[in-house]
Structures are given as C-alpha cells and as structure tokens.
Amino acid sequence: MSILCCVPVLECVYCLGCAHWLWKKCLYTAGHESENWGLATSDEFEPIPSLCRLILALYEEDLHDPMWAPPGGYGIKPHHVILKKDYDQTEGRVTPYMIYLDHDHGDVVLAIRGLNLAKGNDYAVLLDNKLGQAKFDGGYVHNGLLKAAIWVFEEEHKVLRELLEANPSYSLTFVGHSLGAGVVSLLVLFVIQNRARLGNIERKRIRCFAIAPPRCMSLHLAVTYADVINSVVLQDDFLPRTTTALEDVFKSIICLPCLLCLTCLKDTFTFEEKKLKDTRRLYAPGRLYHIIVRKPLRLGRYPPVVRTAVPVDGRFEQIVLSCNATADHAIIWIERESQRALDLLLEEDQVMQIPVEQKIVRQKSIVEDHDEEYRAAIMKAASLNIPMSPSPSYGTFHDTEEGESSAESSIEGSSSSWSFNGMRRKWNQFIDRHFPVSDDSEHMIFKNKESQALLCGQET
C-alpha cells in the first residue's frame, strides 16, 4: 500500500505511534499512578523514616560502634536489640534480620534487610517461584518468599510471644526492604492466620511496613490485608512495577535497562482487563505510599510529596523508563526522602498549630478515611469481577452474630459492618468457629507437618 500510493503511510503511522509512546513514558516519571491519590499526613507517615533507619542498622557489624550511621544516628538503643541473625544463623533461608524492643514507641519490631547481590542464597529465594505455584488464603503468593516467611515464623514465634506477653500493650511490627519486604508481607499473612501461637494477639496490634516491596501476592490478598500492610515506594522504583518473572530480572542484571524497556513495552500494550483477570498475577501488597520527589522534564529533586491509597486497578502496572528506576530502590535514598517528607509534614503541622485535642480528632478522622477507602477498594474489586476478589460479604461478615436479632444485624450491616472494627470482630469469630484451638496444641491453621512441607516444597 505504501509503495502503490508513493507515501510511506504504514511507516509514518508506526513512527508516530512510537513517538507517542516515548513521549508518554517521558512524562510518566511525574508519578501518574498516584496523581489522584490523597495526601498522607504526618501521623500515619511518622514511623516510616525510623523503620528505614532500623533496616540500615542491619548492615552494621557492631551497633555499639557503627560505621555507616546516617546523620543523627540510627535512633536505636543497642541493648534493646533482642537478637540479630546473620547469614550464618539463617542458613541461607532468608536475609539477615533482628528483633528490636522499642520502648519509646511501645513496639516489638522484626526487621529484615534486602537482597545481597553477592549472596547466591538470596537469588535462590527469588528464583523459587512460578506463576500459580503457591496458594495462600484463597489467592496466590510468591513461593520462595512464603517459605522464607514460614521459616522465620517457626524460628522466632516463641521469642515474639514472650515479648508480647511481657509487654501486653505493645504492638507487633514487621518491616523489610526489597526481598525482606516481600518476606515480611507474607510473614504477616501467616501471623494473622496463626495468631494463637503468638498468644492470640489482636489483629489491630499487628502492622507491616514493606519498603520497596516486590510483587508478592495476588490482587485480592493485597486489597484484603491493606488494613495491616503498608508499602512504601520512592518515585520510579522498578521492583514494585516488575511484572516479569524475577528470575529474568536477576539473570539479566547486566542488561537490566534493555530488559526493563522490553517489559515496559509488553505491559504498555496489554489491556488492563486482561491483567486483572489473571488470578496468578502478583502485585505490591497492601496500602501504598508513593513518595514523589521529581517532576517531568525538570532537573533536580523537589520537596517530596507523599500520596497514599488502596488502589485496585493501576496498581504500579507499568515500569517507568527513568535513569532513577534502580536508584530509587536503594534504602539509603528512601530513608533520606522519607525523612525530608516527614519534616515537611511536621512543619506544616507547626504552622497550623494544631492543639492536642484536634490532633486526636484528626487521627480518628484518618482512621475513618482509611476505613472508607478500604471498603471502596474491596467493593471495586468485587464490581470488576476479579477472580477470587473479596466480596462485600467476605468471610462470614454477612452472618448474624450470636445473640443478635435480625433487626440489629441488619442495622449493623448497613452501618458498621464495613468498618475495620466490625470486620476484625467477625473475622475473629469466624476463626474461633471454624478453626478452634485444642488444649494440647497452640496451632490454628497450619500444623507443624504442613509448615515443614511448605518449607521443603512438598504438597500437603
């Protein structure tokens, strides 16, 4: 056709299409994924910089004599470190981690560091996965990360239980970076399913912060556990957007820019509906916090802005063609930018001079807003008919509680059944009803044999 008309029509269309795609990708560095998200507040974002420094402390050989401490130090007390395990103690099952008793914030923290490029065992954890290989709680998760999470739980659940029993008002926090973020994300899922082994700790006392996480769980799990898991992503970080098999990324680490470009082309021209219908497709977990530090076609960094949401579609679906795609993954940069963002948020609070009582009211409103956003995300996932998505009657939320009249249950179902408290209460009743704990065993769902089978990669 182009030859007969003496005009290269097809070639012009092809060039215009490529130019449009490149132009779109150049503008994509502005954080288009989160442009419609709400702004985070200082109250909800406050723990993140200190937890980043806690992960950085894992790289120190001697916390009493640190060599790589950031300005202001790590903000931890070495004598409050309950345990710290290196690769020799973890037997290559997981990256180094430690348990820290934070008396200042009333917290028991388990922190896991990220992948070490010089350790083959870390690659083995990432390579141990195929699409649809590991099922968990009605969805799919990353197989290698799940086995690492179960190993950590089996090793440390007694220590965590003793700490929680000795400090009954403390919360239990899991935090990790990169590979460690994927491990703690699946670890908190396993903990919630086995709360009896931690002394029946309430779900509201459990939280998780995944810093620069990999895509490790299916969409309905990512949305369902958004009340517990919080993911932090710095601008153009490639890992939360990497939909290709992780083994391809790390096998081609030398040619990573070319691989990212090819993956970006594939994802760009894949319909959103097709992605959502793939039940095996993995996503970044939980509620997302996106730190924006750059603007398109401009040099330098700008005052960071933090946006947060529980998105369903458009959940970091496309890799950004940016020279900062790998640099934004570094925990050092995430710690710096998150601290800058928190400082700006605190300055705004000081300018507003919010009284203590109003701060309490604002914290309550934040919880209510998160409740509504969480409910909207579940409803949207159900409306899109995503396979295995949580329905509005997820679990036994539609059941009438014992001792309730039908009128009372209908009123509660219309008003408070969507709230976090109502969902947690009914979830606990569901667990107690269908998975009772025997007197001679503290196991709830996963037995020792099943856990060992998962660790060994066997079918239960």
Side-chain angles (χ1 to χ4, degrees):
M1 179 177 178
S2 299
I3 298 176
L4 294 176
C5 298
C6 299
V7 178
V9 178
L10 295 179
E11 288 80 356
C12 290
V13 172
Y14 178 78
C15 291
L16 288 174
C18 292
H20 177 268
W21 179 80
L22 288 173
W23 176 252
K24 179 181 178 181
K25 285 302 172 184
C26 289
L27 292 178
Y28 210 70
T29 58
H32 282 187
E33 303 99 336
S34 60
E35 60 183 352
N36 296 321
W37 298 3
L39 294 175
T41 64
S42 59
D43 295 318
E44 59 181 313
F45 194 73
E46 185 176 6
I48 294 175
S50 59
L51 291 175
C52 289
R53 288 189 287 272
L54 188 62
I55 295 174
L56 284 172
L58 280 165
Y59 292 84
E60 295 283 359
E61 294 184 1
D62 185 4
L63 292 175
H64 294 275
D65 185 21
M67 298 178 61
W68 317 106
Y74 294 112
I76 64 174
K77 300 177 182 178
H79 57 280
H80 288 167
V81 176
I82 305 302
L83 60 87
K84 185 174 182 289
K85 292 189 176 181
D86 206 339
Y87 282 102
D88 296 335
Q89 290 79 29
T90 62
E91 303 174 359
R93 302 292 188 92
V94 68
T95 51
Y97 64 89
M98 72 175 175
I99 297 178
Y100 178 69
L101 188 58
D102 189 353
H103 291 292
D104 295 334
H105 299 92
D107 211 1
V108 177
V109 185
L110 190 153
I112 305 180
R113 56 167 280 186
L115 177 139
N116 187 338
L117 295 176
K119 294 291 183 179
N121 291 330
D122 291 355
Y123 292 101
V125 174
L126 286 172
L127 296 178
D128 185 14
N129 185 62
K130 296 179 181 178
L131 289 179
Q133 181 177 359
K135 291 184 178 181
F136 188 89
D137 194 18
Y140 292 97
V141 296
H142 188 286
N143 186 61
L145 297 177
L146 177 63
K147 292 199 294 185
I150 295 176
W151 187 87
V152 174
F153 181 83
E154 295 293 343
E155 287 288 315
E156 310 300 345
H157 76 275
K158 293 182 179 179
V159 177
L160 295 175
R161 179 169 181 168
E162 292 175 357
L163 293 174
L164 292 172
E165 290 177 348
N167 304 276
S169 62
Y170 283 22
S171 58
L172 176 61
T173 300
F174 301 92
V175 61
H177 169 250
S178 188
L179 184 148
V183 174
V184 295
S185 298
L186 300 186
L187 175 58
V188 76
L189 266 64
F190 193 80
V191 166
I192 291 175
Q193 298 287 347
N194 294 267
R195 290 183 296 114
R197 299 176 66 181
L198 293 178
N200 286 318
I201 180 175
E202 298 176 351
R203 179 168 174 151
K204 64 181 181 181
R205 292 172 57 195
I206 304 173
R207 60 179 183 170
C208 173
F209 290 90
I211 314 298
R215 300 166 73 94
C216 57
M217 63 181 66
S218 56
L219 182 58
H220 98 276
L221 292 177
V223 174
T224 303
Y225 289 89
D227 62 321
V228 178
I229 305 176
N230 304 277
S231 293
V232 181
V233 179
L234 176 59
Q235 187 91 18
D236 302 330
D237 188 357
F238 77 96
L239 192 59
R241 298 176 169 90
T242 304
T243 57
T244 186
L246 288 175
E247 57 264 29
D248 295 336
V249 174
F250 290 95
K251 286 179 181 178
S252 307
I253 193 69
I254 298 177
C255 193
L256 183 58
C258 299
L259 178 65
L260 294 181
C261 183
L262 293 175
T263 304
C264 189
L265 278 170
K266 178 182 177 182
D267 291 340
T268 300
F269 296 103
T270 301
F271 291 108
E272 184 77 13
E273 294 180 357
K274 183 178 180 180
K275 297 177 183 178
L276 293 175
K277 295 298 181 182
D278 187 359
T279 59
R280 303 172 301 169
R281 186 179 179 87
L282 304 182
Y283 292 83
R287 168 175 288 275
L288 300 177
Y289 289 88
H290 196 196
I291 306 174
I292 308 298
V293 296
R294 290 181 299 273
K295 297 182 180 180
L297 304 179
R298 297 184 184 181
L299 300 176
R301 292 176 178 260
Y302 286 75
V305 176
V306 183
R307 297 187 179 275
T308 180
V310 185
V312 178
D313 51 347
R315 195 180 182 89
F316 291 137
E317 289 295 340
Q318 298 182 13
I319 292 177
V320 178
L321 292 180
S322 168
C323 59
N324 299 290
T326 54
D328 286 345
H329 185 68
I331 184 63
I332 296 177
W333 279 111
I334 298 174
E335 187 274 332
R336 292 178 184 177
E337 297 301 339
S338 62
Q339 185 61 57
R340 287 181 60 203
L342 179 60
D343 292 340
L344 291 176
L345 292 173
L346 292 176
E347 287 179 5
E348 293 178 0
D349 289 347
Q350 292 177 358
V351 171
M352 297 173 62
Q353 295 181 352
I354 303 176
V356 177
E357 294 182 359
Q358 292 186 9
K359 285 186 178 180
I360 297 175
V361 173
R362 188 178 69 167
Q363 291 175 356
K364 292 181 179 179
S365 66
I366 291 173
V367 174
E368 293 176 356
D369 292 341
H370 284 190
D371 287 351
E372 294 296 328
E373 195 172 8
Y374 179 59
R375 177 179 66 176
I378 293 180
M379 293 182 67
K380 186 171 184 178
S383 65
L384 292 175
N385 294 322
I386 298 174
M388 296 187 301
S389 63
S391 65
S393 59
Y394 182 77
T396 57
F397 300 153
H398 61 286
D399 293 341
T400 303
E401 299 182 17
E402 295 180 3
E404 270 188 344
S405 64
S406 59
E408 291 175 342
S409 63
S410 63
I411 294 174
E412 182 179 356
S414 61
S415 59
S416 63
S417 62
W418 278 105
S419 66
F420 277 146
N421 294 332
M423 295 176 71
R424 290 187 184 116
R425 182 176 64 255
K426 295 181 181 181
W427 174 260
N428 294 337
Q429 290 177 351
F430 171 75
I431 294 298
D432 295 337
R433 186 183 308 161
H434 295 280
F435 302 92
V437 181
S438 59
D439 297 334
D440 57 346
S441 176
E442 295 179 348
H443 297 264
M444 180 182 278
I445 296 178
F446 288 87
K447 307 297 182 181
N448 280 333
K449 294 182 179 179
E450 295 175 335
S451 300
Q452 293 296 331
L454 283 171
L455 289 171
C456 299
Q458 301 174 353
E459 294 184 356
T460 57

